């Protein structure tokens, strides 16, 4: 086996592949062998599956990140995490130079490299090197981070082995949140312009901006400064403690599910709260307490409270986008800045939020396919792009022009006090936001600052609009790829007859809407329905699930009604 791979490689021009590297990759890759026949896809958010299947993937992603670093002549990030998945799972995402998600063509390389059988690995590497004309003599640097899963330590070591096998330099950040690693990569490649590429640098940039913002809030009681945070028993909890120590008690945080006892993401965390529409276990809250939940790698956040009757109220990504975009729009008016602001959502956005943003706030609203990269790209088209998935992943992007205009105005001396105050608030808002990716800690600081500045309670925020009742269900089919969608996943084009069936069902209910899409992370078809009452939303979701089961090759018994 060795002889055949080596001879293949010797045909490579030396300029592209120094000979010493060949033996090193061979030696190292044999320590991270691929189980024969195992096929995995670089999905919506990288590879994600049971941790036991991932050692070779990690090694190979270390190799790929090193190639990507040489290709882009920049530092690349590799984050070992499976986000909100159960503790037994793990996963890996690659981070491109400006802290954004890996570009689509390289996702294909990632899938190819992951699925290449052991004896073909060198040929697969050579293929990428040739296709992308990568000069292997260039330096390469890869930043590596990991979440708190027990499997993350050895898996991140496998990534480092891959980086070193191809002669790359590495910096191991150890335990960090996913958005922190995105931030580090961006800082490094912007040569410090975005901030200092250390956890301390991250904490101080965000907390300084938060403290500057909260100076604009008047007379807050300790109760108003209090926030309950569910850390999902993940990395978010210890990292939030580090940030909290910089906040000078302007925000008083009680952290629950901090990982000291409970299991990661088990009956807690943003995904659990959003999907189950109930508080996490492990949190002792009283009616009216302002609470939020992070997910396992702290790139999602949702808020909630219970009222005096014991009802649970969720403030999801749509409510967060509404709060932030309203705040920004008001500041733009006060500052007299003519910048185009838009909100980017997915089909999961509650219909009430879209209506409120378009009709009342007169903000441009765009809808994209599910997955952060789609929202991120759409948001880049505006001066200010606020993007949030309903599940709580989101951030705000400011164009270069927008940032420059804000900076200029904040420095200007010949403007009135109202404009000056607005410009400074905008400047600090830019600084508190992690623009590379959705970031639970950064989003939380921004939301807390907005509520404080506006003197708004969580109930008042919730009352901005009322969500339409909704329901999400899953249907198992033999091949979920038979479902193809269009119009940002809002309509199904195949299998034949499915969309017509959905249209017919939706007509039976008031204010109703429903769509289906194949999941990008699980082997299921997802069904979403909303309507004027919970009973109607539940009934519609069930009927649409039945249609999927019948028309798209359902597996097992037909879905049963929810009631
Ligand atoms: C991933 C995506 C998230 C999306 C979710 C949809 C990233 C970083 N994460 O978690 O944005 O909402 O997948 O999952 O892109 P689904 O395809 O299983 O519904
Ligand atoms: Mg996550």
């Amino acid at each position: 086996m060795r002889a055949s791979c080596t001879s293949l490689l010797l045909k490579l021009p030396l300029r592209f592949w120094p000979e010493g590297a060949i033996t090193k990759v061979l030696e190292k890759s044999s320590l991270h062998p691929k189980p024969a026949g195992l096929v995995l896809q670089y999905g919506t958010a990288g590879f994600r599956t049971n941790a036991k299947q991932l050692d070779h993937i990690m090694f190979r992603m270390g190799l790929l990140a090193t190639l990507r670093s040489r290709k882009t002549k920049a530092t690349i990030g590799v984050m070992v995490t499976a986000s909100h998945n159960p503790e037994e799972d793990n996963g890996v995402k690659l981070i491109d130079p400006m802290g954004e998600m890996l570009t689509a063509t390289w996702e294909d390389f990632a899938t190819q490299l992951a699925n290449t059988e052991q004896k073909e690995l060198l040929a697969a590497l050579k293929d990428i090197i040739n296709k992308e004309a990568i000069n292997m003599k260039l330096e390469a640097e890869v930043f590596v981070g990991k979440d708190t899963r027990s499997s993350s330590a050895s898996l991140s070591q496998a990534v480092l082995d891959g980086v070193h096998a191809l002669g790359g330099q590495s910096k191991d950040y150890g335990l960090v949140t996913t958005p922190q690693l995105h931030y580090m990569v961006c800082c490094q490649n912007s040569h410090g312009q975005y901030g200092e590429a250390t956890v301390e640098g991250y904490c101080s940039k965000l907390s300084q901006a938060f403290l500057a913002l909260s100076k604009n809030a008047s007379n807050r009681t300790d109760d108003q400064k209090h926030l309950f945070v569910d850390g999902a028993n993940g990395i978010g909890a210890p990292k939030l403690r580090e940030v909290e120590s910089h906040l000078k008690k302007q925000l008083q945080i009680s952290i629950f599910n901090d990982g000291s006892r409970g299991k990661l993401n088990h009956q807690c965390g943003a995904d659990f709260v959003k999907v189950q529409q109930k508080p996490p276990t492990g949190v002792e809250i009283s009616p009216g307490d302002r609470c939020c939940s992070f997910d396992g790698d702290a790139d999602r956040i949702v808020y909630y409270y219970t009222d005096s009757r014991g009802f649970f109220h969720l403030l999801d990504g749509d409510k967060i986008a509404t709060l932030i975009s309203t705040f920004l729009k008001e500041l733009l008016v006060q500052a007299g800045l003519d910048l185009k602001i838009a909100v980017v959502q997915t089909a999961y956005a509650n219909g009430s939020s879209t209506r409120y943003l378009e009709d009342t706030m007169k903000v441009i609203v765009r809808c994209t396919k599910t997955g952060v990269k789609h929202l991120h790209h759409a948001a880049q088209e505006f001066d200010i792009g606020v993007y949030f998935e309903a599940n709580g992943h989101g951030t705000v992007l400011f164009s270069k022009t927008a940032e420059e205009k804000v900076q200029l105005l904040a420095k200007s001396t010949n403007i009135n006090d109202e404009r000056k105050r607005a410009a400074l608030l905008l400047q600090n808002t830019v600084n508190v936001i992690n623009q590379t990716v959705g970031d639970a800690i950064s989003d939380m600081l921004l939301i807390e600052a907005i509520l404080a500045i506006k003197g708004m309670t969580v109930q008042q925020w919730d009352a901005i609009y009322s969500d339409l009742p909704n329901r999400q269900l899953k249907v198992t089919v033999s091949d979920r790829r038979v479902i193809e969608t269009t119009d940002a996943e809002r309509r199904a084009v195949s299998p034949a007859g499915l969309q017509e069936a959905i249209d017919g069902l939706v007509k039976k209910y008031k204010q109703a809407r429903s769509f289906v899409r194949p999941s990008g992370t699980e082997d299921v078809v997802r069904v979403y329905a909303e309507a004027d009452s919970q009973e109607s939303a539940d009934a519609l979701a069930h009927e649409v699930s039945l249609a999927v089961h019948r028309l798209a090759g359902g597996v097992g018994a037909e879905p049963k009604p929810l009631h």
Side-chain angles (χ1 to χ4, degrees):
M1 178 186 97
R2 271 186 184 206
S4 69
C5 291
T6 312
S7 61
L8 243 177
L9 269 149
L10 288 177
K11 289 179 200 152
L12 271 168
L14 211 56
R15 175 168 74 88
F16 284 152
W17 192 291
E19 210 168 332
I22 302 169
T23 11
K24 207 154 186 197
V25 173
L26 278 173
E27 266 171 33
K28 291 278 189 171
S29 74
S30 65
L31 300 175
H32 302 280
K34 172 183 180 295
L38 179 64
V39 176
L40 296 169
Q41 290 283 323
Y42 195 94
T44 322
F47 294 100
R48 212 181 275 187
T49 186
N50 188 290
K52 293 198 180 91
Q53 299 190 317
L54 284 168
D55 181 66
H56 68 294
I57 298 280
M58 297 293 167
F59 175 77
R60 292 167 183 214
M61 290 308 105
L63 298 175
L64 190 74
T66 310
L67 296 184
R68 181 82 186 138
S69 171
R70 292 202 168 100
K71 169 75 187 178
T72 57
K73 301 191 176 68
T75 298
I76 295 296
V78 181
M79 181 70 196
V80 177
T81 180
S83 186
H84 56 276
N85 283 37
E87 154 80 29
E88 311 76 76
D89 286 356
N90 216 323
V92 59
K93 330 186 197 193
L94 268 66
I95 303 168
D96 253 0
M98 292 324 285
E100 69 278 42
M101 308 253 162
L102 181 68
T103 193
T105 39
W106 279 67
E107 287 187 358
D108 295 340
F109 290 148
T111 301
Q112 280 161 27
L113 203 58
N115 295 323
T116 299
E117 295 305 329
Q118 198 66 20
K119 60 182 180 353
E120 310 288 345
L121 182 60
L122 290 173
L125 279 175
K126 176 192 149 186
D127 188 46
I128 301 171
I129 293 166
N130 283 345
K131 275 193 185 131
E132 294 288 309
I134 296 167
N135 182 348
M136 294 298 287
K137 285 190 172 162
L138 292 177
E139 290 189 346
E141 185 176 53
V142 178
F143 283 180
V144 181
K146 60 170 184 269
D147 72 9
T148 53
R149 287 178 161 77
S150 53
S151 60
S152 290
S154 68
L155 291 176
S156 73
Q157 186 54 52
V159 173
L160 292 164
D161 285 355
V163 174
H164 302 152
L166 273 186
Q169 303 287 318
S170 63
K171 180 160 177 180
D172 183 4
Y173 279 88
L175 294 168
V176 280
T177 69
T178 296
Q180 282 178 331
L181 193 70
H182 283 254
Y183 177 90
M184 303 308 165
V185 170
C186 181
C187 289
Q188 181 73 1
N189 290 317
S190 67
H191 307 290
Q193 252 188 20
Y194 195 65
E196 192 193 300
T198 61
V199 172
E200 177 57 30
Y202 169 93
C203 292
S204 68
K205 179 178 173 186
L206 268 59
S207 57
Q208 275 172 31
F210 172 78
L211 289 174
L213 285 171
S214 45
K215 286 210 177 90
N216 293 272
S218 49
N219 303 329
R220 285 186 311 144
T221 61
D222 279 354
D223 259 6
Q224 287 164 330
K225 289 181 191 168
H226 203 122
L227 175 68
F228 293 82
V229 182
D230 154 29
N233 291 315
I235 183 62
K239 293 297 152 184
L240 179 58
R241 286 228 164 84
E242 290 177 22
V243 172
E244 190 193 9
S245 65
H246 292 67
L247 298 179
K248 302 189 175 155
K249 302 222 165 14
Q250 284 307 307
L251 185 59
Q252 290 160 25
I253 303 173
S254 300
I255 307 181
F256 289 88
N257 298 323
D258 66 353
S260 54
R261 280 176 296 160
K263 205 172 159 188
L264 177 71
N265 296 326
H266 182 64
Q267 302 204 315
C268 61
D271 198 60
F272 173 86
V273 172
K274 168 74 183 160
V275 175
Q276 302 294 324
Q277 309 206 8
K278 61 180 182 194
T281 50
V283 180
E284 296 141 29
I285 49 167
S286 309
D289 285 343
R290 193 167 70 248
C291 313
C292 66
S293 284
F294 293 3
D295 73 337
D297 63 340
D299 65 354
R300 287 193 198 178
I301 184 170
V302 293
Y303 270 70
Y304 47 91
Y305 68 97
T306 52
D307 63 26
S308 51
R309 295 167 304 160
F311 287 128
F312 175 74
H313 295 255
L314 177 72
L315 294 98
D316 62 4
D318 304 334
K319 285 250 154 108
I320 296 173
T322 305
L323 181 76
I324 296 175
S325 57
T326 307
F327 177 70
L328 288 170
K329 195 161 179 205
E330 286 165 2
L331 288 181
L332 289 177
V333 173
Q334 288 162 20
L337 280 175
D338 181 21
L339 293 170
K340 207 176 204 179
I341 180 167
V343 174
V344 183
Q345 309 184 312
T346 70
Y348 287 106
N350 195 278
S352 290
S353 73
T354 315
R355 211 163 303 126
Y356 176 81
L357 287 164
E358 285 182 334
D359 300 349
T360 310
M361 284 305 300
K362 311 277 183 225
V363 177
I364 305 165
V365 179
R366 286 276 181 282
C367 184
T368 71
K369 280 162 66 170
T370 301
V372 173
K373 60 190 170 209
H374 303 297
L375 290 104
H376 193 93
H377 284 146
Q380 280 170 328
E381 286 167 26
F382 301 90
D383 292 321
I384 302 179
V386 179
Y387 75 81
F388 268 89
E389 289 192 309
N391 64 26
H393 186 117
T395 187
V396 186
L397 305 185
F398 295 85
S399 70
K400 204 162 173 283
T401 319
E403 281 200 18
E404 281 166 5
K405 283 191 179 173
V406 168
Q407 305 295 3
L408 210 66
L409 197 68
K411 274 197 214 123
S412 140
T413 47
N414 56 351
I415 52 170
N416 66 32
D417 288 354
E418 193 200 7
R419 287 190 75 191
K420 183 82 177 178
R421 176 179 180 272
L424 290 171
L425 279 171
L426 279 167
Q427 189 181 38
N428 285 308
T429 301
V430 172
N431 286 335
V432 86
I433 290 168
N434 182 350
Q435 293 188 51
T436 62
V437 79
D439 181 335
I441 294 178
S442 148
D443 290 338
M444 180 201 80
L445 291 176
L446 176 60
I447 292 163
E448 289 299 310
I450 295 175
L451 294 177
I453 293 166
K454 285 174 153 284
M456 211 180 206
T457 62
V458 69
Q459 292 87 343
Q460 289 166 330
W461 168 22
D462 191 30
I464 293 179
Y465 66 81
S466 298
D467 273 327
L468 281 171
N470 57 85
R471 179 65 62 196
Q472 287 191 46
L473 296 175
K474 302 177 192 183
V475 185
T476 309
V477 297
S478 57
D479 181 1
R480 69 192 197 279
R481 288 171 302 181
V482 300
I483 300 212
E484 288 176 85
T485 63
T486 183
D487 189 22
E489 301 178 322
R490 289 174 290 193
R491 296 190 68 76
V493 290
S494 75
L498 180 58
Q499 188 57 49
E500 290 72 15
I502 296 173
D503 289 342
L505 294 168
V506 165
K507 278 204 193 103
K508 290 170 46 184
Y509 300 93
K510 289 199 189 101
Q511 289 182 278
R513 189 169 70 89
S514 180
F515 67 89
V516 302
R517 54 175 282 278
S519 159
T521 64
E522 256 186 276
D523 193 7
V524 294
V525 174
R526 297 206 191 280
V527 172
Y528 176 89
E530 65 183 32
D532 65 338
S533 70
Q534 193 60 54
E535 291 68 37
S536 298
D538 289 353
L540 177 58
H542 170 249
E543 288 167 12
V544 171
S545 301
L546 273 180
V548 170
H549 198 272
R550 286 175 191 159
L551 296 167
V555 171
E558 287 199 330
K560 295 210 168 41
L562 282 113
H563 303 288

